[in-house]
């Protein structure tokens, strides 16, 4: 993976440094607004970027764009540390490596999530400002399809609407096939001991979850989503990232993964079980405790009552 050091980054663009308005939760170091010439035919056009150094947890949520990148979908200081200049639609273009001072070009969503979740210390993020433009997260549609949708919204069901439905069905099936192939590749990498590489793929698979999914049984997530969350927990466990592993384990159970016996025995989750208090705290939310301590205490209280 190509890396950029600080000297290389400084040479890439002309910087205009601005002290940002102080949010409630933000790194003590100032953020920077960067203005640089855009790669466009308009000579006066400029792109703006924001550099931010911030401690975890982040008060930002991200989604995978049509180009595979990571875009902000929520900025909420109640969730963690952030800066008010960041807007939904802004794209991460550079990010700090998991360790040290190196900076990675933000190549794809999975790599970015891996870098954030495994980062030790302050997270460096460089955003391209899109000023609320969310088009990168919208479904790709051409002019004719937009016209057909307008027709359908008007209460008319014609050949155009049927064509859209057929096209969308084919597109969904193709997306499912690609996602399944990526899942199989990630699993093969995991079995080969390529844990970091498989983790990046699994993060991408999560982000490829169909929007507004409802299964035949009423499930709101696909089976592959639940299993992928579980596999991500295994990856973080194998990397000795206990807290992130437990977060992923809780996420997989929250969305319906209920093979609790496997969770308690899987060797790939051994590192998580080595923190018994944290592990039990997560498991007891979704499965009956192995020992019901409340029942034990109640029993002792009953026999210790004075006549």
């Amino acid at each position: 993976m190509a890396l950029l050091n600080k000297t290389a980054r400084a040479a890439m663009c002309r910087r205009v440094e601005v002290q940002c308005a102080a949010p409630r939760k933000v790194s003590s170091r100032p953020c920077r607004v960067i203005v640089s010439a855009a790669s466009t035919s308009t000579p006066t056009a400029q792109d703006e970027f924001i550099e931010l150094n911030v401690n975890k947890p982040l008060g930002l949520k991200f989604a995978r764009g049509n180009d595979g990148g990571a875009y902000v979908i929520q900025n909420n200081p109640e969730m963690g540390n952030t800066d008010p200049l960041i807007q939904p639609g802004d794209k991460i273009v550079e990010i700090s490596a998991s360790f040290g001072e190196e900076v990675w070009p933000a190549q794809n969503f999975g790599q970015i999530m891996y870098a954030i979740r495994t980062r030790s210390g302050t997270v460096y993020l460089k955003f391209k400002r899109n000023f609320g433009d969310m088009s990168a997260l919208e479904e790709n549609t051409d002019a004719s399809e937009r016209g057909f949708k307008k027709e359908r919204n008007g209460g008319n069901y014609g050949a155009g609407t049927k064509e859209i439905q057929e096209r969308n069905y084919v597109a969904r099936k193709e997306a499912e096939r690609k996602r399944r192939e990526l899942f199989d590749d990630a699993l093969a990498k995991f079995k080969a001991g390529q844990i970091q590489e498989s983790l990046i793929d699994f993060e991408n698979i999560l982000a490829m979850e169909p929007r507004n999914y409802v299964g035949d049984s009423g499930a709101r997530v696909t089976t592959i989503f639940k299993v992928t969350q579980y596999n991500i927990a295994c990856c973080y466990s194998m990397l000795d990232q206990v807290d992130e592993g437990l977060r992923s384990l809780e996420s997989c159970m929250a969305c319906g993964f209920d093979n609790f016996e496997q969770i308690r025995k899987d060797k790939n989750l051994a590192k998580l079980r080595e923190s018994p208090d944290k592990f039990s705290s997560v498991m007891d939310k979704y499965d009956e405790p192995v020992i019901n301590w409340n029942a034990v205490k109640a029993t002792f209280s009953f026999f210790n009552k004075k006549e």
Side-chain angles (χ1 to χ4, degrees):
M1 184 178 294
L3 300 177
L4 293 176
N5 57 34
K6 290 184 177 180
T7 303
R9 286 188 288 110
M12 287 178 64
C13 57
R14 175 172 62 86
R15 300 190 173 200
V16 178
E17 297 189 9
V18 180
Q19 178 70 44
C20 295
R24 282 191 291 163
K25 295 181 179 180
V26 75
S27 168
S28 59
R29 297 173 62 183
C31 73
R32 296 173 178 176
V33 176
I34 306 171
V35 181
S36 66
S39 55
T40 177
S41 57
T42 308
T44 57
Q46 292 181 324
D47 285 335
E48 285 191 17
F49 300 86
I50 296 175
E51 285 186 321
L52 183 65
N53 289 283
V54 63
N55 293 319
K56 295 194 296 184
L58 305 186
L60 299 166
K61 282 189 175 181
F62 306 98
R64 187 177 186 270
N66 295 324
D67 60 354
Y71 291 80
V72 177
I73 58 171
Q74 186 178 1
N75 183 352
N76 182 0
E78 296 297 326
M79 296 191 309
N81 301 309
T82 184
D83 188 276
L85 283 180
I86 308 299
Q87 293 180 270
D90 290 350
K91 180 183 180 181
I92 300 177
V93 294
E94 290 180 13
I95 187 167
S96 50
S98 298
F99 304 96
E101 297 298 319
E102 296 288 352
V103 172
W104 291 349
Q107 296 174 333
N108 67 71
F109 185 88
Q111 171 245 350
I112 294 164
M113 294 303 103
Y114 167 77
I116 291 174
R117 296 183 68 175
T118 58
R119 174 67 181 173
S120 178
T122 300
V123 179
Y124 166 83
L125 296 163
K126 181 178 177 181
F127 296 90
K128 179 181 180 295
R129 303 188 75 184
N130 288 320
F131 302 98
D133 181 2
M134 303 288 285
S135 58
L137 295 163
E138 296 173 356
E139 294 182 7
N140 292 320
T141 57
D142 55 26
S144 62
E145 184 168 340
R146 289 193 293 271
F148 294 149
K149 285 186 176 180
K150 186 176 180 180
E151 172 191 278
R152 185 178 60 187
N153 292 337
N156 299 317
Y157 185 94
T161 300
K162 185 176 181 181
E163 181 183 337
I164 290 176
Q165 291 175 335
E166 291 174 349
R167 190 188 307 176
N168 288 343
Y169 176 81
V170 172
R172 284 196 300 271
K173 288 299 181 183
E174 178 63 12
E176 287 176 15
R177 183 189 66 78
K178 290 182 178 179
R179 192 183 188 205
R180 181 69 204 194
E181 285 183 354
L182 184 58
F183 180 88
D184 292 341
D185 288 345
L187 200 57
K189 290 175 183 177
F190 181 87
K191 291 178 179 178
Q194 300 172 9
I195 307 301
Q196 294 180 1
E197 292 84 351
S198 67
L199 179 51
I200 290 172
D201 284 348
F202 282 133
E203 290 282 8
N204 274 317
I205 293 164
L206 279 190
M208 294 166 70
E209 178 77 354
R211 296 170 187 171
N212 304 317
Y213 174 84
V214 180
D216 294 338
S217 64
R220 300 309 301 265
V221 296
T222 60
T223 299
I224 199 171
F225 185 91
K226 291 186 285 188
V227 175
T228 297
Q229 282 280 22
Y230 180 84
N231 289 345
I232 288 175
C234 291
C235 287
Y236 281 117
S237 176
M238 297 290 283
L239 293 172
D240 204 16
Q241 296 273 344
V242 174
D243 289 340
E244 290 299 335
L246 289 169
R247 288 190 187 97
S248 295
L249 185 62
E250 181 164 6
S251 294
C252 88
M253 291 189 289
C255 65
F257 189 94
D258 58 1
N259 192 338
F260 304 119
E261 183 178 359
Q262 179 176 335
I263 293 173
R264 295 185 187 279
K265 294 181 179 180
D266 193 335
K267 64 180 181 181
N268 296 316
L269 296 175
K271 282 290 182 181
L272 306 188
R273 294 193 295 270
E274 288 177 8
S275 299
D277 291 342
K278 291 181 178 180
F279 182 78
S280 296
S281 177
V282 171
M283 291 297 296
D284 291 351
K285 294 179 184 178
Y286 302 95
D287 187 27
E288 285 292 327
V290 175
I291 299 176
N292 190 329
W293 290 109
N294 290 329
V296 172
K297 290 177 182 177
T299 302
F300 275 110
S301 297
F302 176 80
F303 286 108
N304 288 334
K305 284 182 178 179
K306 294 182 178 179
E307 295 294 338

